[in-house]
Amino acid sequence: MPGQLAGLDFVVLVAYLGGTLLLGLFLGRGMHTGKDYFLAGRNLPWWVIGMSLVASDIGGTDIIGVGGAAYSYGMAVGNFEWIGCIPAMLIGAFVFIPFFWRSGVYTIPEFMERRYNAAVRAALAVCWLGFMACNLGIMLFASAKMMNGMLGLEFLPADYQTLAYILLTAALVGVYTYAGGLAAVVYTDTIQCVVMIGGCLLVVVMGINEFGGLGPLRDAVRENEAQVRQAQIAELEAADPIDERELQHLKNADPDHIEHTELILPVDTRSPFPWPGILIGLAMVLSPAYWFGNQAIVQRSLGAKSEFQAKASYVSGALLKNLIPIIIAVPGVIAFAKFPELKDADTAFPTLVAHLLPSGLRGLFLAAFLAALMSSVDSYLNSAATIITNDFYMRFYKPDISDEHVLSVGRVATIVLLIWAIGFATAVSFMEGSGIYTIFQTLMAFFQGPALAILLCGVLWRRATGSGAFVGFVTGVAFSVTLFTLNQQAVYTALGIEPLFQIADPFLYFSVWAFLVSLTVIIIVSLCTKPEPDAKIAGLVYQRHLRAAEKKD
């Protein structure tokens, strides 16, 4: 195949992977306690954490998935970085992260128990563990999709090639994460952030240059959109029965309008990114829930040297985030202009790389992709192991164990999670339908809205109670799953009802409604139950923190 790597590519790739492994193993020599393994001894500088935040958030699922979403729907997916990250990161830096760091907790569920009760901790931990465990498999599968587009393993049957790539990635990441814990994760992420940004930026520059500039690129996108629209019209007219609403929507489309270059899409768009979903579902629900409550993200700031450095890490990460949509979404639009007939949108980025980059640079980009992938896999692997160890093993099984025992349990949990991820990645490889990015976002939408509701009420409203938080969280998750189920074609057809949402993959709306339901239930139940004691919530509620500071002054 034209995208196969040459000898020089393999030299670049092996040198990078070897260096990353050696660094991770070197840092692993200093692991003696659970605090070293899970929080890097609380000795991390702000700039390292900031780069790690970006590298962990933009993983292989994003390079493949965002590129695929941009190929299908355009630059509107870039709002997941500009609107969906930067505002929440800045708010988190000054409102939520200081609370978490000062409390000395290892996990967000642990903080929830201090504020509420053990039931809330367990429920949130179960959801985050389930999400991270599944996401590990999705990310390993994303690596296999990229490698299938660039590496040649013709000596293996096609079915075994995907498994071989999954095992290779799992082995690489597993070794240094097992050995070095959070310190290895964060410091290798710093290198991976630089390599990832450089490699993806190279693809953008070469792709635009391939068309001779931005003007010709826009013209190619407009022409391909028109061709795709005509093909869809022909397909609908030949269908039986005819979807009149969709057919009319396509026929009424403005031929001069280029949807792939639009950041704001109308309410009736057929993409998953209408502006109400972006503004309300993403900016006000999914994004804050992710940056305030995602264990794989927040855990880095918990390992900072000081409260100031924890804040600074989020601010520096927000500044870097401005660049990310350009380097991961624009290539998807370039691929649409160059290859408008791809059957699988998730192959857009790999196909573009295989076409654009010469020998040597292909190896550099694959290193950049693996950097992005490894930075996310190691983050979720370490954080999921932290939840297993701290929120389940130590909380409900053996509370009084030595630091050395905690370290051993954490490493065993890492191995178990890696084995699970390999199995789940293999299962995902047989699934068809939604793209990688949509699977990822839908999984989060099930519980992110309810998680944000209990977090906001816990930190900002002193009257919120443990009973209200638990009932509200469980109700919100159940409501979100119900919305998802009723929106499946087989279900609403069998029930004889219309689909609840008209857009494709309405995960943004799931999160909005689940958040509102959870918030309502939390308020009602909390007002009907006994308030939490003042001594219990002292220092855990923002209002009380301000009052305490005023009294000291």
Side-chain angles (χ1 to χ4, degrees):
M1 63 180 285
Q4 286 183 355
L5 302 188
L8 181 59
D9 297 308
F10 281 106
V11 170
V12 173
L13 188 59
V14 171
Y16 171 75
L17 295 177
T20 302
L21 280 175
L22 289 175
L23 176 61
L25 292 172
F26 173 78
L27 293 170
R29 298 188 309 167
M31 296 297 108
H32 303 295
T33 67
K35 185 176 181 180
D36 293 334
Y37 195 72
F38 295 124
L39 294 182
R42 298 195 84 175
N43 198 38
L44 296 173
W46 64 268
W47 60 273
V48 169
I49 301 174
M51 295 181 75
S52 179
L53 287 171
V54 174
S56 299
D57 181 50
I58 304 302
T61 51
D62 292 276
I63 289 182
I64 293 290
V66 174
Y71 180 91
S72 298
Y73 307 114
M75 285 300 297
V77 72
N79 287 314
F80 275 78
E81 302 299 325
W82 284 317
I83 296 177
C85 290
I86 296 172
M89 292 178 76
L90 294 176
I91 294 171
F94 295 101
V95 178
F96 293 91
I97 297 304
F99 277 94
F100 300 149
W101 190 91
R102 282 196 301 268
S103 69
V105 298
Y106 281 59
T107 67
I108 299 301
E110 183 183 352
F111 180 86
M112 289 293 102
E113 179 177 12
R114 293 192 185 185
R115 176 59 182 87
Y116 293 120
N117 55 39
V120 176
R121 177 180 186 172
L124 186 60
V126 166
C127 287
W128 270 117
L129 180 60
F131 167 72
M132 288 193 286
C134 293
N135 199 36
L136 281 169
I138 293 172
M139 288 186 287
L140 290 180
F141 174 60
S143 72
K145 293 199 78 166
M146 173 61 81
M147 292 181 182
N148 271 328
M150 298 190 68
L151 292 174
L153 290 179
E154 286 82 359
F155 58 89
L156 288 176
D159 292 341
Y160 289 98
Q161 288 183 26
T162 299
L163 179 60
Y165 297 133
I166 290 171
L167 292 173
L168 175 62
T169 306
L172 289 170
V173 177
V175 167
Y176 72 78
T177 304
Y178 173 87
L182 184 64
V185 168
V186 171
Y187 280 101
T188 54
D189 281 357
T190 304
I191 299 172
Q192 289 160 354
C193 182
V194 174
V195 175
M196 175 193 70
I197 291 175
C200 293
L201 195 57
L202 179 65
V203 174
V204 172
V205 172
M206 294 187 68
I208 294 174
N209 184 65
E210 174 92 354
F211 285 91
L214 291 174
L217 174 61
R218 283 175 55 88
D219 293 340
V221 170
R222 181 189 293 109
E223 181 180 338
N224 287 344
E225 280 189 356
Q227 292 178 359
V228 169
R229 190 160 49 244
Q230 290 303 317
Q232 291 173 337
I233 290 173
E235 184 178 343
L236 285 172
E237 289 177 337
D240 185 20
I242 296 176
D243 187 340
E244 293 290 350
R245 183 169 54 184
E246 179 67 15
L247 182 61
Q248 203 60 36
H249 173 79
L250 292 172
K251 287 184 175 181
N252 292 338
D254 182 358
D256 294 323
H257 176 72
I258 309 177
E259 186 167 287
H260 273 72
T261 60
E262 294 292 326
L263 289 176
I264 307 299
L265 298 181
V267 176
D268 61 349
T269 179
R270 294 310 189 258
S271 85
F273 314 120
W275 73 262
I278 292 293
L279 180 62
I280 302 173
L282 176 63
M284 297 184 181
V285 179
L286 275 181
S287 174
Y290 183 85
W291 288 100
F292 304 165
N294 186 337
Q295 177 64 28
I297 296 297
V298 176
Q299 188 170 339
R300 281 149 178 68
S301 65
L302 300 180
K305 290 181 179 180
S306 65
E307 181 182 331
F308 170 79
Q309 300 225 21
K311 294 178 182 178
S313 67
Y314 259 55
V315 174
S316 64
L319 291 174
L320 268 178
K321 273 290 186 177
N322 284 285
L323 182 63
I324 300 304
I326 297 172
I327 65 173
I328 63 173
V330 171
V333 178
I334 296 173
F336 176 77
K338 190 71 179 176
F339 311 103
E341 297 180 357
L342 291 179
K343 294 182 179 180
D344 183 357
D346 284 336
T347 63
F349 214 134
T351 302
L352 184 66
V353 169
H355 171 78
L356 286 178
L357 301 186
S359 176
L361 292 182
R362 256 186 241 130
L364 176 64
F365 177 79
L366 187 54
F369 170 77
L370 288 177
L373 175 84
M374 291 163 65
S375 65
S376 291
V377 174
D378 60 21
S379 301
Y380 279 85
L381 190 57
N382 182 255
S383 295
T386 306
I387 287 180
I388 290 175
T389 305
N390 289 273
D391 295 313
F392 293 107
Y393 188 86
M394 292 176 61
R395 177 62 181 82
F396 298 107
Y397 183 60
K398 283 190 176 181
D400 300 319
I401 60 176
S402 66
D403 279 340
E404 291 74 15
H405 190 176
V406 173
L407 176 60
S408 299
V409 172
R411 284 178 165 165
V412 170
T414 299
I415 295 174
V416 171
L417 285 164
L418 205 57
I419 294 172
W420 155 266
I422 292 169
F424 191 79
T426 305
V428 169
S429 67
F430 293 101
M431 297 179 184
E432 297 181 358
S434 297
I436 289 174
Y437 197 67
T438 299
I439 296 173
F440 175 83
Q441 295 295 342
T442 301
L443 283 174
M444 282 206 301
F446 286 158
F447 69 95
Q448 285 283 66
L452 178 64
I454 63 172
L455 184 58
L456 290 180
C457 289
V459 173
L460 301 179
W461 188 40
R462 63 183 302 271
R463 188 61 180 79
T465 66
S467 298
F470 180 75
V471 175
F473 181 75
V474 173
T475 302
V477 172
F479 187 78
S480 182
V481 174
T482 301
L483 290 180
F484 173 80
T485 303
L486 292 176
N487 207 60
Q488 301 305 300
Q489 185 175 5
V491 176
Y492 64 69
T493 301
L495 295 176
I497 61 176
E498 290 292 318
L500 298 179
F501 305 97
Q502 299 301 318
I503 66 171
D505 306 308
F507 52 82
L508 292 173
Y509 290 130
F510 297 160
S511 63
V512 174
W513 286 108
F515 170 76
L516 293 174
V517 168
S518 290
L519 189 63
T520 302
V521 173
I522 291 169
I523 293 173
I524 293 173
V525 176
S526 292
L527 292 175
C528 295
T529 52
K530 185 179 179 180
E532 302 289 349
D534 287 345
K536 177 181 178 180
I537 64 176
L540 300 178
V541 181
Y542 192 70
Q543 185 178 4
R544 296 192 65 81
H545 168 67
L546 291 179
R547 289 177 179 173
E550 290 171 359
K551 288 180 180 179
K552 289 181 181 179
D553 293 339

